[in-house]
Amino acid sequence: MAESKIILFIVEGPSDETALAPALEQIITSNTVKFKVMHADITSDYHSTVNNIERRIKQLGVKKFLNDNSQFTENDICAVIHIVDLDGAFTPDSVVTEDDTIEYAQYYDNSIICKNKTLFLQSKNNKKQNLLHLCSLKEISIPKGIIVPYSIYYMSCNLDHVLHNKRNSSVREKTENSISFSDEYDDPQKFEDFFNRDDIKIKGTYDETWEYAQKGMNSLLKGSNFWICIQNNKKDDSE
């Protein structure tokens, strides 16, 4: 039997790993599932640009994972899968309004309220350009010049919106919600069925689901193309 390789999931926060890892570890049996939690949104980071976003994923994502897990090497990684929140990145700038009394941006069906509109729009449009670049990639370079398959999937407007129909959860609520979801959906079939629900599944090919996200208010509305990730990576029982 061939030695198992690592599929490295790059996610924004620990709640992503808590919610998704238990089921994915059972669904993806041909390879080992590992998570790199970035503790940040690398796509909206002011330091990330279309010119350096791939390099930053390699350095801050893959290389940092390997540094923290010295039992693995670059040759152990067979694919990188990136999961992101859309955070209304593709909506018109005109839907954004300012309220300097709030600390964190608030997301709604047709609007976004933020503390500082100028800074928020800079981050929002930076994220938009980075996502447009990343969703066009089919592979990415990791340390030592190794090239592996790359794909990026979204939760819209964010993870809690997809999993719990809540856009504006606190950090504590995110933690509690992710634990609740992992407990309820640790069964692989139940997990897969969840992401195929009519109110969540964005239908179409990989490219078509990204085209959908770019239209109108869709990057604020509830939906995800993560079902494609599950479909592409689950074990075929007929094998």
Side-chain angles (χ1 to χ4, degrees), residues 99-106 113-116 120 171:
D99 180 350
D100 62 9
T101 67
I102 65 173
E103 185 173 359
Y104 300 106
Q106 303 289 306
I113 305 173
C114 64
K115 187 177 183 70
N116 184 307
F120 182 86
V171 173

Side-chain angles (χ1 to χ4, degrees), residues 46 98 114-125:
Y46 296 115
E98 185 175 280
C114 64
K115 187 177 183 70
N116 184 307
K117 184 173 180 178
T118 300
L119 292 178
F120 182 86
L121 288 179
Q122 181 181 344
S123 174
K124 170 181 171 293
N125 289 313

